[in-house]
Amino acid sequence: MFDFDATLPVMAVQFLLLAAVLNAVFYKPLSKAIDDRSAYIRTNEVEAKERLAKAEQLAKQYEEQLAVARREAQGVIAAAQEDAKKIAAQKNAEALAEVQARLEQTRKEIDEQKQAAMSALEQQVDALSRQILEKLLGPSLANR
């Protein structure tokens, strides 16, 4: 069936030489490329995880800063509204005091004008009363 002559060892040597050549030419460079690619992927994956963690940390930090800034802004707005209310109340009080002062001054002026008018009326009434008496009683009796 099988003939074991010199071809079997030659074939074995050829197979071993082919395996050695393939290993040197094809398998080692391919293994090295696969190993390099795996190392590159692992390195990129680690760097990506680090960047993701750093980005999440920065996002959290910025959110905290934003929340603080919002609280501060709300405090400033509330203080400004409170100041505006105080200023408005003060201006209203000043305006009311000014209106009351003007009203009092106007009342005084009206009272003065009323007194002047009353005194002028009294003088006119006195003069008319004398004239009536002179006409009724005569000039000599009215002066008594």
Side-chain angles (χ1 to χ4, degrees):
M1 203 183 252
F2 288 111
D3 201 11
F4 293 108
D5 55 1
T7 58
L8 183 64
V10 170
M11 293 283 276
V13 170
Q14 283 180 349
F15 178 75
L16 290 175
L17 281 175
L18 179 65
V21 169
L22 284 177
N23 190 26
V25 173
F26 183 67
Y27 294 128
K28 279 189 181 181
L30 185 62
S31 294
K32 184 177 181 323
I34 290 173
D35 290 341
D36 290 346
R37 183 68 181 162
S38 293
Y40 176 76
I41 289 172
R42 278 192 302 273
T43 303
N44 283 346
E45 185 179 7
V46 168
E47 288 176 2
K49 286 180 181 179
E50 289 174 358
R51 287 180 187 161
L52 180 62
K54 187 175 181 180
E56 287 173 351
Q57 181 183 8
L58 285 174
K60 184 178 179 182
Q61 181 181 0
Y62 289 144
E63 287 175 3
E64 289 172 358
Q65 289 176 351
L66 182 62
V68 168
R70 282 184 180 154
R71 281 191 296 260
E72 289 175 359
Q74 288 175 348
V76 168
I77 289 170
Q81 287 176 341
E82 197 63 35
D83 288 345
K85 286 179 184 178
K86 287 179 184 177
I87 290 170
Q90 181 183 5
K91 294 292 183 184
N92 284 341
E94 290 173 2
L96 183 61
E98 184 179 340
V99 166
Q100 288 176 347
R102 285 186 184 176
L103 182 62
E104 188 62 33
Q105 182 182 0
T106 304
R107 282 184 185 155
K108 286 180 182 178
E109 289 175 3
I110 289 173
D111 285 342
E112 289 172 2
Q113 290 175 358
K114 182 179 173 184
Q115 290 297 330
M118 289 298 276
S119 119
L121 274 174
E122 285 178 11
Q123 289 173 1
Q124 288 177 358
V125 167
D126 284 344
L128 284 174
S129 297
R130 275 191 221 122
Q131 286 176 2
I132 292 172
L133 283 175
E134 282 178 7
K135 286 186 181 180
L136 288 176
L137 299 175
S140 61
L141 291 174
N143 288 331
R144 287 187 187 172

